Amino acid sequence: MLVLPPILSRLAPGLFNDFRMGMLVYAAIYSMAILSLNLLTGYAGQITLGHGAFIGVGAFATGYLTWWWGFPFITGFIVSAILGGLLALLVGLPALRIRGLYLAVSTLAFGVVMERMVFNRESLTGGQAGTTVPVPKMGSFEFIREADFFVICFALLICIWVFDRGIVASKVGRAFFAIREDEDVAASFGVDVARYKLLAFVTSGVIAGIAGSLYGVAVGVAQVESFTLEFSLSFVIIAVVGGLGSRRGVVVAAVFFTVFPQLFPFLDGNIEIAGSILLIYTLARHPGGLAQAFLEARDAKAAAAAKKGEAETDDLPTVLPSLPSVGAPRADAMTSGIVAEAVDIKVSFGGLQALNGASLAIPHGKIVGLIGPNGAGKTTLFNVMSGFIRPDSGQVTFKGKDVTRMAPHGRAAMGLGRTFQLIGLGKNLTVRENFLLAQHCAATYPIAKALLRLPGVASGERVLEERAREAISALGFERFTDTPVRNLSHGQQRLVELGCSLVTSPELLLLDEPSGGMSPAAAESLAERLIDIRDKLGRTVLLIEHHIPLVLAVCDEIYVLNFGEILAHGTTEEITSSPEVIAAYFGEAVA
C-alpha cells in the first residue's frame, strides 16, 4: 500500500488517476479523524459534538505557517498536532465536573464558537476566503500527485492505528474503558479519573490536529465553510454507524462514507440523508454499529455458553471456590495497630443528616462488621472511608495518615480495596479485562511509556496477564475468561468482584453486602472465604452486611449504625444481647 500507488499511478495513469487516488487520500484522512473521535468517545466515553473544530485548527495552522510564513510542511504539521492537543485540553476541563448531555452541549457550543468567532477572523484564517495550504515538499520533490501524497497519509494512518492498538493493550486503555463504564468503579481500582479524562481529550486532539493538517493539504485550502457544525456531526454519525469503541468498525465506516459517494453518483449530495437513515437503523437494530453486527454471532455464542455455564453451575455459589492467591504483603504493610479510623464524621445532603458524629476504628487482622437498618448511613460511611464522599467535618486516617481529603484513587494506591452494593465491575468488559483493570496500580510503567509502547510495557503486561490468569483459575472461571461480565449470573459477578478486589493484595478491604444475590448455602460458604481472607491472606476487612448469621459467624467486632450515629460497638455476644440493638435492628433476642 505504501509502495504500489506511486508506481501504479505512473505505469497506468488512466486506471490509477488522481481522482481514484484522491478517494484513498480522503479515506485515510477521515479514518485518522474518526480514530481520534473513537478514542475519546468510544474508549473514554466522553461525548463531543464539536470535534470538527480540532480538525479545522490543524488545517488553518498548517496553511497559516506554510503559506503565509513560508515554514516547511513538517513545521505546520507538528504545530497543528500541538494546537489540537492544547485546544482539546481546554475543552476537556469542563468534563472534570460535567458529563453526558451537559458535556455534549458544552462541546457543541465550542464547535459553534470556533466556526463563527475564530475561523471567520480574517487576521487569523483569512476570513471567508480562507487560507491556501500548499502541498508538502521534500527537497525539490513536491507531493503534487495524489498517489504520492497518499503514501504520507497512509503511513501516518498506520502509525496512528498501531498507537491506538498499543493504548488499548495497556493500562491507559483499560483506564479509559473503566471511566466509560463507571467512574466510581474506575477510581476504586486506582484510576485517576480526572487525569485520564484530560489525557483522552489531549490525545484525541493531537490526532485530530494531524488529520486536519493533512485535510488542509488534500483540499488545498482551509475555509470556514469546511468546518461547520454539520462537519462535526458527520463524524459522530460515522463513529456510531461503525461502532463506538471498535477500531476496525469506525475505520470501515469512514472508508464507506468517503469512497462510496464518489463511486455511486446518486449519493453525491445525498450522503447526509443516507447517513441519517443508516444512523437510525443502527440505533434501532445494532446500537453497537457495524462492529456489533459483525460480532453478533460470536456474542450470541458467548452468551449461550455463559447461560449454559450458569445453568450447569447453579450450585457453584453453594460452595465457593478458593480465593485467588495474592502477592506478597506490601512493603509498607502494617502488622498491628489500627489500620483505618473514622473520627466524628458528619455528612449532610441538603436537610438530611446522613452521618452525625459517627466514629469507628478497624484493627489490623480483624473482620469488623457494620450493620444497621436501611437508611442508617452505612454506605455513606463506607464512601467516606474510601474517598467517594468528603465529610462536612471529622477525620479519616488510613495506615496512620490523614486521608480525609485524599481522592479514591490515592487511597486505592495505598492499599484500600472495596466492593460495591451494585457490583463494582465493568459490565461490558470481559472477566479477564476486569482482572487486568483491577491491577491498575500494579502496572508501574509510566503513562508515556504506555502511549509510545516503549520497552518495559510488554513485560509488565505479561506479569499482569499471568496474575489475572491465576486468579481466574483459582475462582474456577476459566471458561468465562473472555465472557463479558454482563453475561454472568449475579452470584458469579459477586465472585469476580471479590476476586478483583483481592488480586492486588489490598491491606484493607471494604465489602458492601457481598452476599447480596446469594443463596443461604452460598452465604455460609462465603463466611469460610471471608475467614480465609483474614487468617490465610492476612487482610483486614470492614463488612456491611444484612445477612446477620454471616455477620455473627465471621466478625470479630461489630458496629451498629442507626440514624447516622453509632448505636453500639462490641463483640458479637455484646451486640446480640444489647437491648438498644435489639429494639433498633434485630427485633427480638438472638438465641
Side-chain angles (χ1 to χ4, degrees):
M1 291 294 290
L2 289 173
V3 176
L4 288 179
I7 297 175
L8 294 175
S9 68
R10 288 165 172 80
L11 294 179
L15 184 60
F16 298 94
N17 53 37
D18 275 354
F19 173 74
R20 289 176 178 148
M21 289 295 101
M23 286 193 301
L24 297 181
V25 166
Y26 280 105
I29 294 172
Y30 267 67
S31 295
M32 284 183 263
I34 208 67
L35 282 173
S36 71
L37 177 63
N38 185 57
L39 186 149
L40 181 61
T41 303
Y43 294 170
Q46 304 305 299
I47 301 174
T48 174
L49 300 180
H51 204 68
F54 302 130
I55 299 169
V57 166
F60 280 113
T62 300
Y64 188 86
L65 290 172
T66 56
W67 180 253
W68 288 15
W69 291 89
F71 284 100
F73 170 75
I74 188 63
T75 302
F77 175 84
I78 293 173
V79 171
S80 295
I82 294 173
L83 286 178
L86 291 176
L87 193 62
L89 175 63
L90 294 177
V91 176
L93 289 175
L96 302 182
R97 291 187 175 273
I98 60 176
R99 65 186 73 175
L101 176 63
Y102 298 103
L103 178 59
V105 170
S106 70
T107 57
L108 181 66
F110 158 75
V112 172
V113 168
M114 291 297 294
E115 175 192 345
R116 300 186 180 181
M117 300 182 64
V118 178
F119 295 159
N120 256 329
R121 293 183 68 87
E122 188 169 350
S123 59
L124 290 175
T125 64
Q128 291 295 323
T131 301
T132 299
V133 187
V135 297
K137 295 181 181 180
M138 185 179 291
S140 60
F141 180 79
E142 292 186 334
F143 289 81
I144 298 176
R145 289 174 177 264
E146 295 286 359
D148 297 335
F149 184 54
F150 172 74
V151 174
I152 296 177
C153 296
F154 191 69
L156 287 170
L157 175 59
I158 291 175
C159 293
I160 291 172
W161 180 282
V162 173
F163 174 77
D164 187 282
R165 186 175 63 180
I167 286 179
V168 171
S170 71
K171 70 175 184 180
V172 176
R174 291 192 294 271
F176 289 165
F177 296 147
I179 292 171
R180 179 192 67 192
E181 295 289 310
D182 190 312
E183 292 184 13
D184 287 346
V185 171
S188 73
F189 286 134
V191 175
D192 186 340
V193 173
R195 183 183 187 187
Y196 278 94
K197 273 187 177 182
L198 292 179
L199 177 63
F201 271 96
V202 171
T203 307
S204 175
V206 168
I207 298 174
I210 291 173
S213 178
L214 299 174
Y215 184 82
V217 174
V219 177
V221 62
Q223 292 179 302
V224 64
E225 290 82 0
S226 298
F227 308 107
T228 62
L229 180 60
E230 291 179 6
F231 183 70
S232 293
L233 295 181
S234 68
F235 287 107
V236 177
I237 292 175
I238 294 172
V240 173
V241 171
L244 284 170
S246 169
R247 188 186 315 112
R248 293 183 180 89
V250 297
V251 168
V252 168
V255 173
F256 172 83
F257 275 89
T258 51
V259 173
F260 270 64
Q262 305 300 325
L263 295 179
F264 300 97
F266 70 89
L267 286 175
D268 189 23
N270 297 312
I271 189 62
E272 289 85 1
I273 297 175
S276 300
I277 294 172
L278 267 176
L279 178 64
I280 294 171
Y281 175 79
T282 299
L283 294 176
R285 296 296 300 274
H286 303 288
L290 289 174
Q292 179 187 357
F294 290 143
L295 296 176
E296 268 188 344
R298 192 187 74 174
D299 287 346
K301 183 178 179 181
K307 187 175 181 63
K308 180 181 178 183
E310 181 181 336
E312 291 175 349
T313 57
D314 281 341
D315 294 332
L316 172 64
T318 301
V319 180
L320 302 185
S322 300
L323 293 170
S325 58
V326 295
R330 302 167 58 92
D332 59 347
M334 298 180 63
T335 56
S336 61
I338 301 299
V339 175
E341 186 174 13
V343 179
D344 197 24
I345 300 297
K346 294 183 179 180
V347 175
S348 61
F349 302 106
L352 173 65
Q353 191 71 40
L355 293 174
N356 188 22
S359 301
L360 60 79
I362 309 169
H364 176 268
K366 303 292 184 181
I367 299 178
V368 178
L370 180 62
I371 63 174
N374 288 328
K378 302 185 298 299
T379 299
T380 300
L381 183 55
F382 237 50
N383 288 333
V384 169
M385 296 290 292
S386 54
F388 290 98
I389 292 178
R390 182 172 293 179
D392 299 329
S393 64
Q395 184 183 52
V396 178
T397 60
F398 180 45
K399 297 164 65 172
K401 181 179 179 179
D402 185 353
V403 296
T404 309
R405 308 185 74 82
M406 182 180 288
H409 68 270
R411 304 188 198 195
M414 288 180 64
L416 189 151
R418 70 161 292 175
T419 65
F420 289 80
Q421 188 174 358
L422 299 177
I423 307 292
L425 295 171
K427 297 294 182 66
N428 291 311
L429 304 180
T430 66
V431 172
R432 181 184 67 87
E433 289 168 339
N434 272 281
F435 271 96
L436 290 173
L437 170 62
Q439 301 177 73
H440 181 82
C441 293
T444 54
Y445 54 80
I447 291 177
K449 269 193 172 185
L451 293 176
L452 300 175
R453 205 66 180 174
L454 297 177
V457 175
S459 58
E461 286 295 312
R462 284 194 293 271
V463 173
L464 303 183
E465 288 273 4
E466 179 61 23
R467 189 180 298 160
R469 187 193 62 77
E470 291 176 355
I472 293 171
S473 177
L475 287 176
F477 275 32
E478 294 96 330
R479 63 188 178 281
F480 300 133
T481 298
D482 294 316
T483 301
V485 167
R486 67 176 182 273
N487 291 336
L488 301 180
S489 69
H490 187 83
Q492 290 167 338
Q493 291 181 24
R494 280 288 181 198
L495 290 179
V496 173
E497 183 186 29
L498 185 58
C500 286
S501 65
L502 287 168
V503 73
T504 53
S505 305
E507 194 159 347
L508 172 62
L509 187 60
L510 278 59
L511 302 178
D512 195 347
E513 299 191 29
S515 71
M518 293 185 179
S519 66
E524 291 183 15
S525 184
L526 176 63
E528 298 177 9
R529 301 287 80 81
L530 294 178
I531 291 173
D532 287 343
I533 291 175
R534 180 192 63 193
D535 297 342
K536 295 182 179 180
L537 303 184
R539 302 294 176 256
T540 305
V541 178
L542 175 62
L543 173 71
I544 289 180
E545 187 55 69
H546 282 296
H547 194 289
I548 295 303
L550 174 63
V551 173
L552 299 180
V554 304
C555 290
D556 300 293
E557 53 186 86
I558 300 172
Y559 285 86
V560 182
L561 194 64
N562 194 33
F563 295 112
E565 300 178 352
I566 298 298
L567 179 64
H569 168 227
T571 63
T572 56
E573 292 80 7
E574 292 169 341
I575 292 299
T576 54
S577 60
S578 168
E580 294 85 357
V581 176
I582 292 172
Y585 189 52
F586 292 146
E588 61 182 36
V590 177

